[in-house]
């Protein structure tokens, strides 16, 4: 009974992943074993064609280009300049340094789309400064983790590229649809920091007046222009060309990669060591993504060959489950899975299984894609297994404890949940802008 075997396949893969086996080889290996005993040698004639079709997907070329762009920007030193300038601009405001971390996190997210790199960069740059200025460790760590994960939802996000390719939704629409939820989330973060600074002034002090005076007297406008113009030029070049319909996401990614290289040259940070590190990092991350795609292709071929997608769709629809209830179950499963496995594995294991069911129920897949991206972002922050918390702990000084990081992130998780609820209640927050841009 191959339909029932598809559930056994899914459960076996998931169990082995939770036991810590390598994701790509687990996906591919288990699928090949199940496929051989179900379909015989015929499977090995179909699989190469499936993998070839995936590897020649034009959209996925954007992945290594966006990775390169993010890593090159990290080496350029622009993040450090932007953070210092923003801190001085918001210096008079209590909590101004924390607000600047959120804004810089959003700008880096719109420039790179790589969560790990953003959290580590922000941790190295802003954590010692905020502690030195008298910020509470909880507010400091929570702000940095939350700002670092904005790369999940703010375009050009690699998460959105992969989700769009799996859901068969335009990457451009995914990027445009994520803009309003991203703005809402950033605004709620900033509002929370202002509230904390008002209620507990000692937890978020203002910058010393002497430092602000030195900043104003040492070429303030030149620093502002240099810090803001360069990264915003890159954002406009990448996202502006997509939103205006001038370039596809893949073409815009190429523009971004070249632009990041020019900005690093402008900063006089480009040398053979930097280039070697960026190339190595890009190759490593891209290889990881694409070997996962190969494993996921084998899994998808066998799972669909067994009729697993039809079986689950008929099971859900036959049970008379409301679309809202099914959405809630899927969101909970993805949220819990995000504690243990990376967003790439979730994208290629869970999303292809549930996407046909959502489509059958008449639910907008663009809206579903943004909800999943926001859900994954929340799971990245949630103790005890949130990946962003591990990234920050890895670069934090010894006096910053794990419990302080956990306490600090809780208010931001609540904000994430509120934002997710807003998008669930008002799908127009996702769908309005793509429709408007299409006109």
């Amino acid at each position: 009974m191959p339909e029932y075997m598809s559930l056994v396949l899914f459960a076996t893969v998931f169990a082995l992943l939770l036991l810590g086996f390598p994701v790509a080889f687990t996906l591919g290996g288990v699928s090949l074993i199940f496929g051989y005993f179900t379909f015989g040698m015929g499977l090995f004639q179909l699989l190469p064609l499936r993998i070839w079709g995936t590897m020649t997907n034009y959209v996925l070329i954007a992945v290594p280009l966006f990775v390169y762009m993010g890593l090159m920007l990290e080496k350029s030193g622009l993040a450090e300049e932007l953070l210092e300038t923003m801190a001085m601009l918001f210096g008079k405001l209590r909590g101004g340094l924390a607000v600047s971390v959120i804004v810089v996190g959003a700008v880096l997210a719109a420039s790179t789309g790589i969560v790990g790199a953003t959290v580590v960069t922000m941790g190295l740059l802003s954590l010692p400064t905020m502690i030195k200025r008298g910020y509470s460790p909880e507010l400091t760590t929570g702000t940095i983790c939350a700002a670092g994960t904005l790369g999940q939802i703010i375009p050009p996000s690699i998460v959105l590229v992969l989700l769009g390719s799996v859901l068969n939704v335009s990457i451009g629409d995914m990027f445009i649809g994520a803009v309003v939820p991203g703005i809402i989330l950033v605004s709620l973060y900033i509002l929370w920091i202002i509230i904390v600074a008002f209620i507990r002034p000692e937890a978020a002090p203002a910058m010393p007046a002497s430092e602000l005076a030195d900043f104003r007297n040492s070429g303030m406008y030149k620093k502002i222009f240099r810090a803001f113009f360069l990264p915003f030029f890159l954002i406009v070049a990448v996202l502006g060309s997509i939103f205006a319909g001038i370039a596809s996401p893949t073409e815009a990614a190429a523009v971004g990669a070249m632009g990041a290289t020019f900005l690093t040259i402008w900063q006089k940070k480009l040398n053979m060591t930097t280039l070697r590190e960026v190339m190595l990092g890009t190759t490593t991350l891209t290889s990881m993504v694409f070997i996962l795609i190969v494993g996921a292709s084998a899994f998808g071929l066998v799972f669909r060959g067994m009729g697993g997608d039809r079986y689950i769709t008929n099971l859900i629809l036959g049970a008379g489950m409301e679309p809202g209830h099914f959405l809630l179950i899927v969101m909970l499963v993805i949220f819990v899975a995000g504690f243990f496995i990376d967003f790439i594995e979730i994208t290629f294991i869970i999303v292809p299984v549930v996407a046909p069911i959502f489509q059958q129920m008449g639910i907008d897949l663009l809206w579903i894609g943004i909800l999943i991206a926001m859900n994954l972002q929340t799971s990245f922050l949630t103790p005890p297994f949130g990946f962003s918390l591990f990234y920050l702990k890895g670069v934090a000084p010894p006096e910053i404890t794990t419990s302080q990081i956990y306490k600090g992130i809780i208010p931001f998780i609540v904000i994430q949940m509120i934002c997710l609820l807003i998008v669930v209640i008002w799908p127009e927050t996702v769908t309005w802008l793509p429709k408007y841009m299409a006109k």
Side-chain angles (χ1 to χ4, degrees):
M1 291 182 289
E3 288 185 344
Y4 296 103
M5 286 301 295
S6 64
L7 296 184
V8 177
L9 167 65
F10 188 84
T12 304
V13 167
F14 210 75
L16 290 174
L17 290 179
L18 294 181
L19 289 172
F21 286 91
V23 179
F25 304 114
T26 301
L27 271 175
V30 173
S31 301
L32 286 176
I33 292 169
F34 272 76
Y36 174 75
F37 286 108
T38 306
F39 306 110
M41 291 301 293
L43 171 73
F44 298 96
Q45 296 174 344
L46 293 173
L47 186 58
L49 296 174
R50 183 68 174 268
I51 294 171
W52 176 253
T54 303
M55 292 296 107
T56 53
N57 187 334
Y58 178 72
V59 171
L60 292 177
I61 300 173
V63 173
L65 294 171
F66 279 133
V67 171
Y68 174 93
M69 183 176 80
L71 294 176
M72 186 60 80
L73 269 178
E74 185 188 343
K75 301 292 183 184
S76 69
L78 282 172
E80 189 172 355
E81 285 189 20
L82 185 60
L83 185 61
E84 289 174 359
T85 307
M86 286 293 300
M88 291 300 173
L89 288 176
F90 287 109
K92 286 186 178 180
L93 179 71
R94 284 193 179 277
L97 184 54
V99 171
S100 68
V101 168
I102 295 294
V103 174
V104 173
V107 173
L108 286 179
S111 307
T112 65
I114 304 172
V115 171
T118 306
V119 173
V120 169
T121 302
M122 298 298 289
L124 290 171
L125 295 179
S126 57
L127 182 57
T129 305
M130 292 178 76
I131 296 298
K132 180 182 173 184
R133 301 291 181 206
Y135 277 73
S136 73
E138 290 81 8
L139 180 62
T140 299
T141 54
T143 301
I144 293 170
C145 284
T149 55
L150 288 171
Q152 289 279 91
I153 188 66
I154 294 179
S157 163
I158 293 173
V159 181
L160 297 178
V161 173
L162 297 176
L163 278 170
S165 67
V166 171
L167 292 169
N168 201 23
V169 175
S170 163
I171 307 299
D173 285 348
M174 290 288 288
F175 283 1
I176 298 170
V179 169
V180 174
I183 291 171
I184 293 172
L185 189 58
V186 170
S187 303
L188 290 176
Y189 282 169
I190 292 173
L191 180 62
W192 168 250
I193 291 168
I194 293 171
I195 291 170
V196 170
F198 180 76
I199 296 172
R200 296 170 51 215
E202 74 284 354
M207 295 282 283
S210 58
E211 289 192 25
L212 296 175
D214 290 342
F215 175 68
R216 284 192 293 268
N217 296 329
S218 60
M220 179 178 72
Y221 294 108
K222 184 179 178 182
K223 288 181 179 179
I224 292 173
F225 175 80
R226 184 183 175 91
F228 279 88
F229 175 75
L230 295 178
F232 275 101
F233 169 77
L234 187 62
I235 292 168
V236 170
V238 176
L239 295 182
S241 60
I242 296 172
F243 294 172
I246 299 169
S248 69
T250 303
E251 293 163 346
V255 171
M258 185 60 71
T261 305
F262 283 136
L263 291 186
T264 309
I265 294 171
W266 177 276
Q267 294 286 96
K268 298 179 181 177
K269 296 287 182 70
L270 186 66
N271 51 48
M272 286 307 297
T273 303
T274 299
L275 194 60
R276 189 181 298 110
E277 289 175 358
V278 171
M279 291 293 190
L280 182 61
T282 302
T283 304
T284 304
L285 283 171
T286 305
S287 299
M288 181 190 73
V289 171
F290 277 87
I291 196 68
L292 278 168
I293 292 175
V294 170
S297 297
F299 174 78
L301 178 65
V302 175
F303 186 80
R304 286 190 172 88
M306 290 176 169
D309 53 342
R310 293 190 304 273
Y311 177 67
I312 293 178
T313 302
N314 294 333
L315 201 65
I316 298 296
L317 297 176
M321 188 179 291
E322 292 290 325
H325 295 157
F326 179 65
L327 176 63
L328 177 63
I329 291 170
V330 171
M331 289 293 115
L332 286 173
V333 168
I334 290 174
F335 180 77
V336 173
F339 293 163
F340 305 103
I341 57 178
D342 205 292
F343 69 89
I344 302 173
E345 292 93 82
I346 293 172
T347 301
F348 289 108
I349 298 171
I350 298 175
V351 177
V353 174
V354 299
I357 304 172
F358 283 125
Q359 200 164 18
Q360 195 88 358
M361 290 178 168
I363 300 175
D364 189 342
L365 291 183
L366 170 61
W367 177 58
I368 291 297
I370 301 302
L371 282 177
I372 291 173
M374 295 182 72
N375 193 353
L376 288 172
Q377 183 183 358
T378 307
S379 66
F380 261 67
L381 293 173
T382 307
F385 302 112
F387 285 100
S388 294
L389 311 182
F390 294 147
Y391 292 142
L392 183 62
K393 181 60 180 171
V395 296
E399 60 266 23
I400 300 295
T401 64
T402 303
S403 63
Q404 287 173 329
I405 296 176
Y406 285 177
K407 288 177 186 174
I409 201 59
I410 288 172
F412 292 95
I413 295 170
V414 174
I415 291 170
Q416 286 269 168
M417 294 296 190
I418 293 170
C419 189
L420 193 59
L421 192 61
I422 290 170
V423 176
V424 169
I425 296 172
W426 291 287
E428 296 81 11
T429 53
V430 172
T431 57
W432 170 78
L433 191 57
K435 290 177 181 175
Y436 179 79
M437 296 293 288
K439 293 179 182 178

